[in-house]
Amino acid sequence: ISPDQDNLDGTIDLGNEVVNPITQLEQTFNDVEANRLSGNISAELEYIDGFTITGRYGFNYVNTSRRDFFPAFDFGTSKIFTLTQNQVNLEKREFYDYTFDLFNTINKTFNDIHDFEFTTGMTVFRAQGNAIFGSRTDVPGNSFEFADLGTATGAGENQTNGSFVSDVRRLSYFGRLNYTFDDKYLVSAILRRDRAMKFGPNKKTGYFPSISAGWIASEESFFPDIDQISYFKIRGSYGELGNDRIGDFLYLGLLDGEATYVLGQDQSLTNGQALSALPNPNVKWETAKKFNIGFDSELFDNDLSVTLDYYRNTRSDLLIPNIPVSGIFGAVAPGASSPTINAGTVVNKGFEGSISYGTSINDDWSFNASYNFSTIDNEVTEVNGTDFIEGGAFGVGQQPPSRMEEGLPIGYFFGLQTDGIFQNQAEVDAHADQTPSGAAASPGDLRFVDINNDGVIDDNDRTNIGDPIPDVTMGFNLSVSYKNFNFKAYAFANVGNEIVRNYERDQVNVNKLRYRLNRWTGEGSTNVDPRVTAGANTNRLFSDYFVEDGSFLRIQTMSLGYNLPVDLVDKLGLSNVKFYTKVDNIFTFTEYSGYDPTASTGAPIGGGIDLGFYPLPRTYSLGMNVKF
């Protein structure tokens, strides 16, 4: 196909470059075995009336072993997949973690109207791990059967090995006071002191207080005597909680990376070590500060429940990993990465609510339906030490497409804005010069907006082109019972967010999505999708052309169950027998052209970008539960 050929309806001779995927799978050998043991032990002792001491111990143990074998193969000239030397990789990992809680609780009631509960205690968490791994080439017989480090004969750089040891600890002390007056007024206060090894010597400890209060107004004598309202409670709270979910020892400079050095007069290449993540000795706890006020109510003999809250959630000292820095610091070596920093402050605010109605119509029929929602208004209020922080990835070699910037949503999409398609050369000549952005424009190419009106299209014309955070999230549950039958359904939705389409490949020898059939093929053919060409163009630059509405409604689960009659179950000597059928991921209503509108890395800066996640399957289940 010639560089300027646009016709997708003709045949393209790709030669013998591609290997059948089934053939690739047949050349893949791996064996993974995992053993897991977990458990909990708890004990409680009331040593004085109203004084109770409790201890809990929980643990997890995991042991895994993995063996991968890559056989040597050659499918002929011009094939993409060819391996001239086989290789075996072996790996063994062992992890153990435990949590130990010890706390004392005092429960006292005075004059029948003052209820006190005071709890003090501590929590210890420790996670340990170790691994050993290696690889070697030249496995005898080019066979998975003999793939082992002992049988392989590869030497020198063809034989590698490594190991690691990890040890993470966290120690927390806490105190909590609950007070209730006359079963109508409630107050609770908590203070936590958390200490984690993941932070530097002077940053390990964090203090996190919280307080909440409630008033059950429906218990007051002056509350209106309304038969339809059986319960009404007003409540509010403010609390702080720490987050240490980052990598281990990021405040230290560890030689966990790899590097190739040029040494000696002969300029020989020598493999060696390099820094892994660049250290940040000042990294500290991220703090979530949440304020909310709302009410709970029960109506119509508790058949109808209504809850509504206003919340404001501030996350300060936000922990963001891999903040881009200059390559001269060594962040681009294999195994290396940029530092983790406390990037700034983000505020989420909005309303949360739920409504639920359930009743028994008669002895045979009953149902329950519930709906919940949350509105989200996200804004970055502070960025530490810079105007903005970039993150995420789009295409090859392009600038990060997401930003954290004061006054805007975290991780908003930053790129070029489009204004249709050039229909002819006269439009190209009359428009700003797009050559500085990578290539001169031609008819059929995307037309970018000259934001700063300087006559050229370049990085200075990038702007806000989307928000990955939904305006509203919601969920719906339905349960209907008839005699021994029970039907349940669950659906959820996101509304008002954008998602970046970043799973397409622009090589000439791969399949294209169906929408490319509506590409520009001549003046007036379309003003939406650009021409198809293998020649130089700027159509793959990150722009709002790749940003789509990510709103969706997903019917997630439907199930139908049947419980055997009680008298029949009793005759069988059982407690309960239930047959059920269930379908998961039933259908998603969305205008997004990708497989899954929920596809995202989940990163604070770089989320909402679909990198080509494997589509979720629709799953059908048929089963039986038996209780003895």
Side-chain angles (χ1 to χ4, degrees), residues 60 97-100 123-127 168-172 245:
N60 296 284
D97 70 73
Y98 72 84
T99 302
F100 175 65
T123 298
V124 178
F125 172 79
R126 186 175 185 181
V168 178
R169 308 178 196 184
R170 188 185 306 116
L171 174 62
S172 301
R245 303 291 181 171

Side-chain angles (χ1 to χ4, degrees), residues 49-348:
D49 183 31
F51 289 71
T52 305
I53 188 169
T54 304
R56 290 195 295 250
Y57 180 83
F59 68 92
N60 296 284
Y61 172 79
V62 181
N63 182 292
T64 64
S65 60
R66 181 184 184 98
R67 181 171 63 137
D68 296 317
F69 175 62
F70 304 95
F73 53 84
D74 186 352
F75 297 120
T77 58
S78 300
K79 296 293 184 181
I80 294 177
F81 298 99
T82 297
L83 189 64
T84 60
Q85 192 174 37
N86 64 42
Q87 179 177 312
V88 58
N89 298 335
L90 263 65
E91 180 180 283
K92 291 186 179 296
R93 295 174 178 254
E94 185 178 54
F95 296 97
Y96 175 75
D97 70 73
Y98 72 84
T99 302
F100 175 65
D101 300 315
L102 181 65
F103 53 93
N104 186 76
T105 302
I106 303 172
N107 277 293
K108 287 295 179 180
T109 301
F110 302 97
N111 300 327
D112 294 329
I113 60 173
H114 300 282
D115 294 319
F116 288 91
E117 182 186 78
F118 182 59
T119 303
T120 56
M122 62 177 292
T123 298
V124 178
F125 172 79
R126 186 175 185 181
Q128 298 169 282
N130 64 82
I132 185 169
F133 42 87
S135 64
R136 202 169 187 179
T137 59
D138 298 334
V139 174
N142 197 36
S143 170
F144 182 62
E145 181 180 359
F146 304 108
D148 191 87
L149 297 183
T151 58
T153 59
E157 293 185 357
N158 292 330
Q159 179 174 283
T160 64
N161 59 76
S163 64
F164 73 80
V165 176
S166 65
D167 188 357
V168 178
R169 308 178 196 184
R170 188 185 306 116
L171 174 62
S172 301
Y173 297 99
F174 60 88
R176 181 184 65 192
L177 175 63
N178 294 331
Y179 170 66
T180 303
F181 174 68
D182 201 22
D183 293 329
K184 293 183 291 187
Y185 309 100
L186 307 94
V187 177
S188 179
I190 302 174
L191 178 62
R192 292 183 59 92
R193 178 188 184 273
D194 294 324
R195 186 172 175 85
M197 290 181 58
K198 295 192 175 185
F199 304 110
N202 299 322
K203 307 291 184 180
K204 293 183 182 296
T205 303
Y207 293 89
F208 307 104
S210 63
I211 187 170
S212 62
W215 173 37
I216 305 178
S218 55
E219 293 295 322
E220 298 285 0
S221 59
F222 58 79
F223 190 79
D225 187 13
I226 302 175
D227 293 338
Q228 289 83 358
I229 302 178
S230 55
Y231 180 83
F232 188 80
K233 177 183 178 182
I234 299 174
R235 51 181 169 71
S237 66
Y238 172 81
E240 299 182 5
L241 192 64
N243 173 34
D244 66 344
R245 303 291 181 171
I246 57 174
D248 302 333
F249 305 110
L250 297 180
Y251 61 93
L252 297 175
L254 303 177
L255 293 174
D256 288 344
E258 302 176 2
T260 302
Y261 298 91
V262 180
L263 300 177
Q265 294 182 350
D266 59 351
Q267 300 290 288
S268 61
L269 298 178
T270 302
N271 292 331
Q273 292 181 296
L275 284 174
S276 52
L278 293 184
N280 178 11
N282 295 316
V283 65
K284 61 182 179 179
W285 286 90
E286 174 185 315
T287 303
K289 305 173 183 178
K290 186 169 183 178
F291 165 80
N292 81 287
I293 186 170
F295 70 86
D296 303 317
S297 61
E298 303 283 346
L299 300 89
F300 304 109
D301 293 327
N302 299 328
D303 288 344
L304 179 65
S305 300
V306 179
T307 297
L308 182 64
D309 285 89
Y310 169 79
Y311 72 92
R312 181 182 175 91
N313 188 355
T314 302
R315 301 190 75 93
S316 58
D317 298 317
L318 192 68
L319 290 169
I320 303 293
N322 298 327
I323 297 300
V325 297
S326 171
I328 64 174
F329 290 106
V332 295
S337 62
S338 300
T340 294
I341 71 168
N342 295 103
T345 302
V346 178
V347 175
N348 288 297

